[in-house]
Amino acid sequence: MAILFQERAIDRQFASFICRESGVTSDLFRILVSLASSAVGRGNICLSLADCAGEPFSLDGKEIVVPDVDALEKLLRSMPTVGLPGQHCPLVLDLHGRLYLYRYWRYEQELAGNILQKASMQAAGIDEAILQAGLARLFRGSEGEKSDRQKEAASVALHKQFCVISGGPGTGKTSTVVRILALLLEQKEGPKQKIAMTTPTGKAAARLKASVNDMRPALECTNEIKLAIPDNVVTIQRLLGAVAGSSRFRYSAKNPLPYDTVIVDEASMIALPLMSALVAALKPSARLILLGDKDQLASVEAGAVLGDICSAGEEGSEASPMSSSLVKLEKNYRFHAGSGIAEISRAVNAGFGEEALALMKSTTLNGIAWQELPDREELRRVLAKKVLEGYRSYLTAESATEALERFDRFRILCALRDGPYGVSGLNSTVESILAGEGLIRQENREVYRGRPLLVTANNYSMQLFNGDTGILFPDPEKEGALMAFFPAPDGGVRSIPAERLPLHETAFVMTVHKSQGSEFNRVVMVLPPLDSDVLTRELIYTGITRAKESVEIWADEGVFCRAVRKKTERHSGLGNALFISTSRS
């Protein structure tokens, strides 16, 4: 059966433009160009010709069987709009059968080149005696632990211009970074160091800032160093100086960032274009430290940058600069051995669907539970108990501060945007349950006391960013008028008139993608009854690891097991570029 060729409007327009520029009317060429464009929309950096070779496509009522890779490469190389790597053409065909839009090929090449350059450079000005004394003091008691990875990560971060610290939740990435900050400041030039901390979302920035402030008092260092540790964390877009109404930034290779060290948290969420822009904007002498969980969902946009970087480091020889720049933290300090969340995370990460299902159904592990997915008619009744248990507390809070703290104790996560088992349908169901109990009053569907908000677009003037969560709550300083309250950078709360909010949506339920950078005490994850392209191992793992105490999965057994077995595959040449270059070094 022929694959129905479904183009987005932008893919169709781009393919038509390239065909006109090439002076051809070839249906096969049009399909390839459109597929290259749509590949980026699906999160890939390029189109792998091997994926479409030999496949039958149905286009405008005609069936076209795509020939083998050799024939495709011959066709593409005959086109004036398709160039080899290094040539400035709308499309680039590399030597590995990958077809790129030129812009994404350039992003990939520039990022690979900049990372390799930093990975091969030692940081200047490190006093080894001061560093070793600091490592022994700040990581006291860690000797004898498995490979002493946190201490190793700190040493690599100080010695090299490029360092990646990868690990799952609870492995100590943030606590390691706070110690790295102290070690940097203890160096002779420490007081002169300009350090920036950044994340892809405002929510992640607030969490990192809070973590730094929580950990600072317990550090074994002088009060002077403690006070000097920075706690300002901004989004990457704000750090780079996003220019309103464009994709440009104030800082770039021509106008570098003024920082000596840049620390990036939640790096798995960063798409290729943004990561390329960030790395290009660093001073040649600047140190870059990436933190993240390579097994989490990749960016919603194109690329799986952290995963590609980690793959290059893991597969390279021990002498390669990429291998010596990567440290993977493995010991979990949050979940004890045998913890339900730890065990289910391990099984899901390994792709063991049936084992993961058996663990979820186990009565011997704490913190995990399985619920067979109710049908649409039963969904509201079965969900009601969880909704009331999870949300009653925050809806009966007496202040916005209290409501915000309580709201983050529980969340319902799902995989899809639409449908009865997606964000739209489940949010409506939750609102109906709460209204039925008198916990919310929806005279106005958009403005009611206790409505949780998820910001979906950046607004720099109000310092609200995609992923920020808030609550509509009466403001006693405004005679009880409903205001939108959000966590403030100083740990308090700030209020904004509801009518001034940027694009937002109700947040009783959110997608797993939107939950990245967040943590909740308890999580209920609802999966749809049918297979979907978005149901993957990474999605299940990311949803589970948002929970600190307990997670409950509602799903069909077959759908769950197939999702765990399905690993996300994003096509790119970044890992290949980094690996080939390091293997030759």
Side-chain angles (χ1 to χ4, degrees):
M1 180 179 175
I3 299 171
L4 182 61
F5 185 49
Q6 295 181 330
E7 298 173 296
R8 298 177 303 171
I10 192 171
D11 304 328
R12 182 167 54 252
Q13 291 168 5
F14 178 70
S16 297
F17 168 75
I18 293 297
C19 285
R20 288 196 304 272
E21 291 294 304
S22 302
V24 299
T25 58
S26 165
D27 287 336
L28 177 57
F29 182 58
R30 178 190 161 190
I31 286 175
L32 293 174
V33 174
S34 187
L35 285 173
S37 175
S38 65
V40 173
R42 296 193 304 273
N44 299 294
I45 302 304
C46 55
L47 172 68
S48 171
L49 297 183
D51 278 359
C52 53
E55 295 290 342
F57 284 85
S58 178
L59 174 65
D60 298 334
K62 296 183 293 184
E63 183 172 311
I64 299 171
V65 177
V66 176
D68 61 26
V69 171
D70 289 342
L72 292 176
E73 290 184 346
K74 183 177 180 181
L75 170 67
L76 290 168
R77 291 201 171 108
S78 71
M79 297 295 171
T81 50
V82 181
L84 294 172
Q87 295 178 328
H88 196 287
C89 292
L91 296 162
V92 174
L93 179 64
D94 75 2
L95 302 179
H96 302 276
R98 293 185 287 244
L99 183 63
Y100 292 82
L101 307 186
Y102 175 80
R103 183 159 52 106
Y104 284 86
W105 176 84
R106 191 187 73 237
Y107 288 147
E108 189 175 273
Q109 294 301 305
E110 289 179 350
L111 179 59
N114 287 330
I115 285 178
L116 284 169
Q117 184 176 28
K118 287 204 170 293
S120 64
M121 298 292 290
Q122 295 293 309
I126 296 297
D127 186 309
E128 199 63 32
I130 293 175
L131 174 59
Q132 292 305 319
L135 286 169
R137 176 176 16 89
L138 288 165
F139 292 90
R140 196 190 307 276
S142 64
E143 287 78 4
E145 292 179 0
K146 187 175 181 180
S147 302
D148 201 5
R149 291 290 176 83
Q150 290 188 355
K151 186 175 180 181
E152 177 189 346
S155 179
V156 172
L158 267 286
H159 282 118
K160 300 203 66 173
Q161 281 195 13
F162 179 68
C163 174
V164 179
I165 303 174
S166 176
T171 53
K173 296 188 296 295
T174 306
S175 63
T176 301
V177 160
V178 176
R179 291 172 171 84
I180 289 171
L181 291 169
L183 291 168
L184 285 168
L185 293 167
E186 287 179 348
Q187 288 292 307
K188 291 177 180 178
E189 297 297 315
K192 298 179 182 178
Q193 276 271 318
K194 291 184 177 180
I195 301 170
M197 292 188 288
T198 186
T199 65
T201 68
K203 183 74 172 181
R207 275 191 54 216
L208 179 57
K209 177 184 174 72
S211 296
V212 171
N213 285 326
D214 288 345
M215 295 172 187
R216 188 201 315 258
L219 288 177
E220 289 194 50
C221 59
T222 66
N223 284 332
E224 182 182 10
I225 295 297
K226 290 179 183 179
L227 290 172
I229 291 174
D231 66 355
N232 187 39
V233 188
V234 299
T235 63
I236 298 172
Q237 291 89 344
R238 186 179 174 194
L239 180 75
L240 290 174
V243 177
S246 79
S247 59
R248 294 181 296 108
F249 298 102
R250 176 186 171 195
Y251 292 102
S252 64
K254 294 180 180 179
N255 180 34
L257 289 161
Y259 300 103
D260 303 298
T261 295
V262 175
I263 297 171
V264 185
D265 197 11
E266 297 290 353
S268 65
M269 299 170 63
I270 306 173
L272 175 66
L274 186 58
M275 185 70 87
S276 182
L278 173 63
V279 177
L282 299 175
K283 294 191 299 186
S285 61
R287 177 188 284 105
L288 175 63
I289 301 170
L290 301 181
L291 309 174
D293 184 351
K294 70 180 182 63
D295 298 314
Q296 278 191 30
L297 280 166
S299 163
V300 176
E301 299 174 61
V305 177
L306 184 67
D308 287 341
I309 292 172
C310 289
S311 294
E314 291 169 346
E315 296 172 12
S317 67
E318 290 186 7
S320 80
M322 291 304 298
S323 294
S324 59
S325 298
L326 170 66
V327 182
K328 184 176 180 181
L329 304 181
E330 296 177 331
K331 180 174 180 177
N332 199 299
Y333 297 88
R334 180 182 303 165
F335 305 120
H336 59 79
S339 152
I341 293 177
E343 289 298 307
I344 187 65
S345 298
R346 177 196 57 76
V348 168
N349 222 352
F352 300 150
E354 285 72 19
E355 178 184 335
L357 179 62
L359 287 170
M360 291 300 301
K361 292 183 172 184
S362 170
T363 58
T364 61
L365 292 173
N366 294 324
I368 56 176
W370 174 266
Q371 165 72 54
E372 189 68 28
L373 186 68
D375 59 31
R376 293 179 62 172
E377 288 71 27
E378 286 289 296
L379 183 60
R380 186 186 187 281
R381 181 187 65 80
V382 179
L383 194 59
K385 181 181 178 182
K386 293 296 176 184
V387 168
L388 296 174
E389 286 177 353
Y391 291 137
R392 184 189 297 275
S393 174
Y394 100 85
L395 288 168
T396 56
E398 295 185 357
S399 70
T401 301
E402 189 177 47
L404 283 166
E405 187 276 325
R406 292 181 180 181
F407 180 61
D408 270 353
R409 296 177 186 175
F410 172 76
R411 196 72 88 250
I412 299 171
L413 304 180
C414 62
L416 305 178
R417 294 283 313 160
D418 301 315
Y421 299 95
V423 167
S424 58
L426 287 172
N427 266 318
S428 294
T429 301
V430 171
E431 287 179 319
S432 173
I433 292 168
L434 295 173
E437 291 291 317
L439 290 169
I440 62 173
R441 300 181 186 279
Q442 289 182 284
E443 288 85 0
N444 182 326
R445 183 68 185 271
E446 299 297 318
V447 183
Y448 59 87
R449 183 190 187 279
R451 183 191 177 204
L453 310 167
L454 176 69
V455 176
T456 58
N458 294 332
N459 187 303
Y460 294 93
S461 64
M462 283 187 282
Q463 292 300 293
L464 287 175
F465 302 97
N466 188 3
D468 286 354
T469 53
I471 293 174
L472 289 181
F473 207 83
D475 188 344
E477 296 182 3
K478 304 286 186 182
E479 299 181 350
L482 285 182
M483 300 284 284
F485 285 85
F486 291 86
D490 62 2
V493 298
R494 61 193 182 102
S495 63
I496 294 170
E499 62 272 15
R500 292 189 59 210
L501 283 169
L503 290 175
H504 61 279
E505 59 189 33
T506 303
F508 290 113
V509 183
M510 59 199 304
T511 62
V512 174
H513 271 98
K514 288 287 188 182
S515 74
Q516 286 182 274
S518 299
E519 288 181 342
F520 313 103
N521 293 359
R522 294 173 292 128
V523 165
V524 169
M525 181 162 55
V526 181
L527 304 183
L530 300 174
D531 290 330
S532 166
D533 288 343
V534 303
L535 292 179
T536 63
R537 178 184 313 172
E538 290 81 5
L539 181 132
I540 305 295
Y541 171 81
T542 301
I544 289 169
T545 54
R546 297 312 88 204
K548 293 188 288 186
E549 296 176 5
S550 69
V551 62
E552 191 167 320
I553 296 179
W554 295 23
D556 171 84
E557 291 185 8
V559 169
F560 174 80
C561 290
R562 287 189 291 274
V564 172
R565 290 195 296 265
K566 184 168 62 177
K567 186 170 176 61
T568 301
E569 296 292 341
R570 286 197 169 180
H571 294 298
S572 92
L574 178 60
N576 187 245
L578 292 169
F579 178 71
I580 288 176
S581 297
T582 56
S583 65
R584 290 173 179 169
S585 60

